[in-house]
Amino acid sequence: DLEAEGARARKEIEKSLHQASQMEKQIANEEFRRRKPELAAEIQDKLGALRAKIAELEAHLRELEAA
């Protein structure tokens, strides 16, 4: 069912955007980056992967809406 798949994609996008926002707040904190540079770098890498996932989900949602 396309409608259910679209709802699932929108929910996943919303969840991923929230996670990305939390990660951005962490790495924007200079004190955090200074105290835990390795963890900040790891979060930065995960954020990049999460942004790619969001882009894929948004493209999938556009395809569903066009069908």
Side-chain angles (χ1 to χ4, degrees):
D1 179 337
L2 292 177
E3 192 172 312
E5 180 67 16
R8 186 202 64 77
R10 282 188 285 280
K11 183 177 179 181
E12 187 67 26
I13 290 168
E14 184 178 314
K15 176 183 161 193
S16 296
L17 287 171
H18 177 74
Q19 287 177 323
S21 174
Q22 295 300 314
M23 290 176 170
E24 288 166 349
K25 287 178 187 176
Q26 277 187 304
I27 59 175
N29 183 325
E30 270 188 55
E31 181 66 19
F32 175 77
R33 288 194 323 266
R34 186 184 61 76
R35 285 191 350 257
K36 299 188 178 191
E38 300 86 14
L39 183 55
E42 183 180 321
I43 290 171
Q44 184 70 45
D45 290 344
K46 287 181 181 180
L47 179 58
L50 187 58
R51 286 180 178 147
K53 176 184 173 184
I54 291 168
E56 288 175 15
L57 287 166
E58 288 174 337
H60 179 64
L61 182 58
R62 283 191 299 276
E63 289 174 9
L64 289 172
E65 290 173 344

